[in-house]
Amino acid sequence: MKLQAYLIFWLLTLFLTSTHAASADGKNVLTFGVVPQESSSKLAEQWTPLMNYLTKHLGKPVRFATAPDIPTFEKRVINGEYDIAYMNPYHYVEFSDNPGYQAIAREAAKRIHGIVVVRQASDIKTLADLEGSTIVFPAPAAFAATILVRAELEKLGISYTPKFVSSHESVYLNVQKGFALAGGGIERTLDSAQKEGLRGVRVLWRSEGFTPHAIAVNPQLAQEFADLLQRALINLADSGAGREILEGVNLQPLTSAEHADWDDVRGLGLDFINIEADQ
């Protein structure tokens, strides 16, 4: 009996020790969640080279992940499902409070602008010409593409019908095909769509600039991996291969990020996300 009790004690100790080590070391595979501003297949193609690069530099597999739409992505972030996440400025302001994601990198010389696009051939000249129209947006909490655009329309007193179509890519296609008179987006995703062959749309309006998207880490991720990840991301711009990876995801060179970098967004006093974590 003593031997049996000893074996049980030894196995329990081994289990607890290995569990603690796994917790301190992070998961066997790190999940990198990307906000779905474009289709999942397109994002996977763009971001997989970065996942391969990070896997090599962290010594641990890094897996690309996204969601079918932006609200689902928000739900997954608040549930802490991503070890690393690329999220819009408003998402970062919200999710740095709960569940506590911390920014480690952002584009160094970039400011994000909301844009309104219309068909190239339309005779629309100002936002006032959109009075009474249907305007498409990617999601209610898309910072630049939705929140900044809607704030400007409301400031100008322009009446319109909003329609949410799940991604930036869908916004541009809806406008191109004439399903909506105008749509909200950002320059990075419009540039990406045009590289993929989008034609027939033009920018009608552009907002002022704000601190861009954050690359942030789950508060449960071991600090050693957060530090390695940050260095690997910042060092991308130091080589031709790294710059090619950045170009593939339409990002400019990255720099280290601080929580206070998004104080310009906090200063807007926005409070639109209303989701709860799964219990």
Side-chain angles (χ1 to χ4, degrees):
M1 291 293 295
K2 288 184 178 180
L3 179 60
Q4 184 179 20
Y6 174 80
L7 287 173
I8 292 172
F9 173 79
W10 181 81
L11 289 170
L12 180 60
T13 302
L14 180 62
F15 171 78
L16 292 174
T17 302
S18 63
T19 301
H20 174 76
S23 175
D25 190 43
K27 300 177 181 178
N28 290 330
V29 177
L30 299 179
T31 303
F32 195 131
V34 177
V35 60
Q37 296 172 321
E38 300 166 278
S39 69
S40 297
S41 59
K42 184 175 181 180
L43 288 174
E45 181 180 353
Q46 292 173 337
W47 287 80
T48 294
L50 178 59
M51 303 302 109
N52 295 337
Y53 167 86
L54 294 176
T55 293
K56 176 181 176 182
H57 284 77
L58 271 64
K60 182 185 290 288
V62 180
R63 179 175 61 85
F64 166 82
T66 187
D69 51 52
I70 294 173
T72 303
F73 174 81
E74 294 164 356
K75 185 81 169 180
R76 291 175 181 176
V77 175
I78 204 168
N79 286 332
E81 294 184 24
Y82 303 125
D83 300 296
I84 312 155
Y86 175 72
M87 61 184 75
N88 79 40
Y90 177 55
H91 284 156
Y92 178 67
V93 168
E94 290 290 316
F95 298 135
S96 60
D97 287 340
N98 178 36
Y101 278 82
Q102 291 300 306
I104 59 170
R106 61 172 175 82
E107 290 173 278
K110 174 78 176 289
R111 303 291 284 176
I112 190 170
H113 301 266
I115 58 173
V116 173
V117 299
V118 296
R119 294 184 73 185
Q120 184 72 47
S122 74
D123 57 2
I124 296 169
K125 294 181 173 61
T126 69
L127 291 177
D129 295 331
L130 301 178
E131 176 68 33
S133 66
T134 294
I135 301 178
V136 286
F137 302 95
F143 173 65
T146 301
I147 294 174
L148 293 182
V149 171
R150 297 190 73 179
E152 183 69 13
L153 293 169
E154 289 168 17
K155 183 176 76 172
L156 296 174
I158 296 169
S159 299
Y160 64 97
T161 300
K163 180 181 177 182
F164 300 103
V165 293
S166 81
S167 73
H168 291 226
E169 193 173 37
S170 293
V171 166
Y172 306 137
L173 290 174
N174 269 263
V175 173
Q176 179 199 50
K177 296 179 183 300
F179 298 148
L181 200 61
I186 62 174
E187 293 161 312
R188 184 181 66 82
T189 57
L190 178 61
D191 179 62
S192 176
Q194 289 173 332
K195 287 180 180 177
E196 294 293 322
L198 176 74
R199 298 291 182 269
V201 300
R202 60 181 170 86
V203 176
L204 173 70
W205 175 85
R206 181 175 184 261
S207 78
E208 66 176 294
F210 289 85
T211 305
H213 287 49
I215 296 177
V217 295
N218 191 301
Q220 300 303 314
L221 184 68
Q223 188 62 47
E224 63 178 295
F225 284 105
D227 293 342
L228 281 172
L229 175 67
Q230 184 183 57
R231 288 196 294 273
L233 290 168
I234 293 171
N235 290 341
L236 274 165
D238 293 340
S239 69
R243 290 190 292 273
E244 186 174 335
I245 290 172
L246 286 170
E247 184 178 347
V249 290
N250 289 298
L251 291 178
Q252 295 181 17
L254 301 168
T255 189
S256 59
E258 302 290 340
H259 187 69
D261 290 345
W262 285 269
D263 282 350
D264 57 343
V265 179
R266 295 184 183 93
L268 295 173
L270 303 172
D271 187 23
F272 295 153
I273 291 182
N274 182 25
I275 55 177
E276 296 181 356
D278 291 336
Q279 299 301 313

